[in-house]
Amino acid sequence: MTQDIDRVKRKRLLSFLSEANFGIEIEEHRVQLSTQSLSRYPHSKKFGSRRFNPYFQTDFSESQEELVTAPQTSSEEALSQLHELQMILASTLEEDEIVWPLSMPPHLKNEDTDFLLTHFERPWYQEYREYLAQKYGPYQHIMTGVHVSMSLTDELIYLFSGQNKLVSFVDAKNQLYFQIAKHIVAFRWLFTFLFGASPLSENKEDNLVENNPDIQPVRSWRSSSFGFTNQSNDQVQYLNFESYVKQIDYLVEKQHYYEQSEFYGPVRLKGKGPVKSLWNNGTDYLEFRIFDTNPFATDGISQQALDFLHLLVIDSVVNPKKWTNEELREAGEWNERIALSHPSDLIKNGNTLRAYENLMTRLSHLLVDVPEFLKSRFQNVITYAVESKKAPRLTVGGRLQKEIDHGSLSNFALDIGRNRVVELKKGFDDFVSKKGSLNRTYAQALRLGIETKKINRSQLYIKFGESSQLIDHNVELSDYLNHNRDQNIES
């Protein structure tokens, strides 16, 4: 009887874990075919103000587009909206522009670097940008990648609270989210092994190759200590929730960080306001920053990668582990070793192999009770992970390594970019011309930065400020936008 009760509790827990909300943000460069370098065309005016548009932003360089989905009720829905954003971006590109499909940027000449540092169109971000350029140099901040956000249902928080005898809902949120964060940090090395995809630098000026001769290609420069990370004296350790908050708050207070967004750890706990407000308000969601751009996935990240992340999150809750500081330190060393290993190398460390095999066994056991709609997808990603351990050529990095030509991936990236922009532009044309749908108005809402949601095929919800309405036929939204926009928002 006890086993039956435990099975019921387990299935209930897995049911709540399967209902998580997801969002995706991808950074990617526009590149000009004529120069084969970062585009000098400005961010498209078709996207309106970058102070307003939540879906289309830019980052360190004007060529560095950020596509940000709204929170969705599944990773599939988040990936679907990311694809819509990719099609819209493609539809705005100039004739000789493509989207660069790699995390590491293309080759930059001296004049390209000068242009990068002297052309910037967001004055409200200028001071922070100059600080970053001086502290880290330009090359680190034009590495790109994918961030995945995830939030849990209140039902799961309450269940966790009851199981752990926590009175405060805020404390329950913070403890559960940090438990998950720590678990993903501890297994970051496995994400690097399976999905790492930044094997070489096209720019000797970034000093990666000069300081580390004879080791290219690697599995992931970006995921290593030479990649997109804080300086060694500004690292944050994932010891416990209280320490995590205090460390970031201290680094901001002592001006080691310009602001809390300068923390570049593999997982961030996110909430409203400064990091110390998490004490009283609680964590709202996690941001996972562990994925290189996958050039073999049309949108930069695969459903398989999202499923593996989801599965590891489930494992962290169903099979909780109290990670020691020594285990986390060792896991960090594993990640560094794997990130800087050749993409075709097997994992040879005995402890790492045992951790790999033990995890695969646990994940396989989870499949018994996960909801049916996830079983085949989770089984596929477990199979991929098991087979990749024996044959690293199957990993993203292993596949990408085969495309290197004379120490460069430039020709590969340009070919992928050319083909993909044609595919995405055609997809956009088909999308907005589809009969009996509101896709044209929906796409325009995303492009203009109007909050929008598909209700069904014949109804669309749009909201701007305090005004909202349901739309049941394609309409022109420019007038709606101009009528409702707050006059204080800069255009």
Side-chain angles (χ1 to χ4, degrees):
M1 179 65 74
T2 302
Q3 287 182 342
D4 290 339
I5 293 173
D6 289 343
R7 182 78 180 275
V8 169
K9 289 181 177 179
R10 177 185 171 92
K11 293 189 76 170
R12 185 173 177 229
L13 182 61
L14 283 163
S15 176
F16 288 147
L17 281 163
S18 301
E19 297 171 358
N21 293 323
F22 287 84
I24 305 174
E25 173 190 326
I26 186 169
E27 308 153 341
E28 51 193 13
H29 286 288
R30 290 177 291 109
V31 163
Q32 281 182 246
L33 293 172
S34 56
T35 62
Q36 299 185 6
S37 191
L38 302 183
S39 178
R40 298 192 182 187
Y41 290 112
H43 178 72
S44 177
K45 295 187 182 299
K46 294 177 181 178
F47 295 127
S49 170
R50 279 173 277 185
R51 280 194 165 184
F52 169 76
N53 195 319
Y55 309 111
F56 295 95
Q57 288 286 325
T58 55
D59 204 297
F60 186 81
S61 79
E62 289 294 291
S63 66
Q64 192 170 343
E65 302 290 337
E66 277 188 1
L67 278 55
V68 186
T69 74
Q72 304 293 328
T73 55
S74 70
S75 63
E76 285 178 295
E77 289 296 319
L79 189 57
S80 176
Q81 188 175 69
L82 178 61
H83 185 66
E84 293 164 349
L85 298 179
Q86 294 282 23
M87 290 192 296
I88 295 168
L89 174 63
S91 74
T92 70
L93 296 179
E94 300 290 341
E95 285 301 314
D96 67 333
E97 280 187 313
I98 62 168
V99 171
W100 189 253
L102 301 173
S103 280
M104 301 299 280
H107 176 66
L108 273 65
K109 302 182 181 70
N110 289 337
E111 55 265 34
D112 296 318
T113 309
D114 291 341
F115 185 88
L116 164 70
L117 293 174
T118 56
H119 288 73
F120 195 66
E121 304 299 329
R122 288 182 293 157
W124 60 91
Y125 190 75
Q126 183 76 41
E127 185 178 324
Y128 184 28
R129 197 242 194 183
E130 290 174 355
Y131 161 88
L132 294 175
Q134 181 176 7
K135 182 173 181 178
Y136 298 97
Y139 288 98
Q140 173 173 314
H141 275 73
I142 55 173
M143 292 182 191
T144 60
V146 183
H147 303 161
V148 180
S149 299
M150 185 180 190
S151 64
L152 308 171
T153 64
D154 286 353
E155 290 85 355
L156 177 61
I157 306 294
Y158 282 119
L159 182 61
F160 177 83
S161 178
Q163 289 176 340
N164 292 274
K165 298 180 173 57
L166 297 170
V167 176
S168 167
F169 183 73
V170 167
D171 288 346
K173 282 205 297 184
N174 288 335
Q175 286 195 31
L176 179 56
Y177 276 120
F178 193 81
Q179 178 177 312
I180 295 168
K182 203 169 185 178
H183 197 74
I184 300 302
V185 170
F187 280 107
R188 185 189 183 189
W189 57 269
L190 185 49
F191 287 92
T192 300
F193 178 72
L194 295 174
F195 305 108
S198 48
L200 55 82
S201 170
E202 306 283 347
N203 294 282
K204 66 179 182 179
E205 293 80 8
D206 64 13
N207 294 324
L208 290 179
V209 182
E210 184 176 319
N211 293 341
N212 303 276
D214 304 324
I215 72 168
Q216 282 198 143
V218 300
R219 189 166 290 281
S220 177
W221 279 120
R222 181 181 170 275
S223 299
S224 76
S225 61
F226 300 99
F228 200 93
T229 187
N230 295 108
Q231 296 176 348
S232 58
N233 59 332
D234 291 340
Q235 297 286 326
V236 170
Q237 306 302 317
Y238 292 82
L239 308 176
N240 53 56
F241 171 77
E242 293 79 8
S243 172
Y244 169 90
V245 171
K246 287 179 180 178
Q247 287 175 83
I248 297 175
D249 188 50
Y250 174 84
L251 289 166
V252 174
E253 181 183 342
K254 298 300 181 181
Q255 299 183 336
H256 290 261
Y257 290 171
Y258 186 93
E259 56 183 42
Q260 65 190 39
S261 64
E262 194 187 335
F263 169 51
Y264 303 138
V267 187
R268 286 173 172 170
L269 278 70
K270 303 285 284 188
K272 301 177 182 67
V275 66
K276 59 187 176 183
S277 67
L278 296 177
W279 288 107
N280 297 320
N281 300 332
T283 304
D284 291 330
Y285 63 95
L286 294 173
E287 181 187 64
F288 303 101
R289 304 162 56 85
I290 52 179
F291 292 109
D292 291 350
T293 303
N294 181 349
F296 303 107
T298 299
D299 301 305
I301 187 169
S302 66
Q303 184 63 56
Q304 190 175 59
L306 294 169
D307 288 341
F308 192 68
L309 174 62
H310 194 176
L311 193 51
L312 263 290
V313 169
I314 292 173
D315 179 58
S316 73
V317 180
V318 177
N319 301 304
K321 174 178 170 55
K322 293 184 177 180
W323 295 96
T324 67
N325 297 344
E326 176 61 23
E327 286 173 323
L328 290 176
R329 184 195 62 76
E330 186 177 40
E333 292 176 354
W334 293 355
N335 182 72
E336 181 76 353
R337 189 179 305 122
I338 288 170
L340 297 178
S341 66
H342 192 279
S344 63
D345 282 354
L346 291 163
I347 293 177
K348 298 173 183 176
N349 179 279
N351 290 337
T352 316
L353 283 171
R354 280 190 290 275
Y356 203 132
E357 290 162 1
N358 290 339
L359 176 64
M360 292 305 114
T361 299
R362 288 204 312 274
L363 297 183
S364 295
H365 289 162
L366 284 176
L367 290 182
V368 177
D369 293 319
V370 298
E372 286 297 323
F373 75 95
L374 287 173
K375 278 189 178 180
S376 63
R377 285 181 15 210
F378 283 175
Q379 180 61 70
N380 287 340
V381 76
I382 292 172
T383 300
Y384 165 68
V386 170
E387 292 178 349
S388 294
K389 180 173 71 70
K390 297 179 288 187
R393 67 181 183 278
L394 301 175
T395 64
V396 180
R399 294 172 62 195
L400 186 57
Q401 176 251 328
K402 298 173 186 176
E403 305 295 339
I404 298 173
D405 180 21
H406 293 88
S408 174
L409 282 167
S410 183
N411 289 336
F412 166 78
L414 290 168
D415 286 344
I416 290 285
R418 287 188 191 98
N419 294 332
R420 192 161 291 163
V421 74
V422 171
E423 173 190 345
L424 289 169
K425 284 184 175 181
K426 182 181 184 303
F428 177 78
D429 290 341
D430 293 343
F431 181 71
V432 297
S433 63
K434 191 173 183 179
K435 291 183 179 180
S437 75
L438 291 171
N439 287 349
R440 184 177 65 81
T441 299
Y442 173 72
Q444 188 184 27
L446 292 174
R447 181 170 56 78
L448 293 172
I450 299 174
E451 183 179 337
T452 183
K453 183 178 181 181
K454 295 176 184 174
I455 304 300
N456 51 49
R457 186 172 178 176
S458 59
Q459 282 189 312
L460 184 68
Y461 169 85
I462 63 170
K463 182 176 186 295
F464 194 93
E466 300 301 318
S467 176
S468 61
Q469 67 184 80
L470 283 174
I471 296 176
D472 58 8
H473 61 282
N474 279 311
V475 298
E476 173 58 48
L477 291 177
S478 297
D479 293 339
Y480 176 85
L481 183 67
N482 293 332
H483 181 264
N484 289 280
R485 175 168 291 184
D486 185 336
Q487 296 301 312
N488 292 324
I489 297 179
E490 289 187 34
S491 60

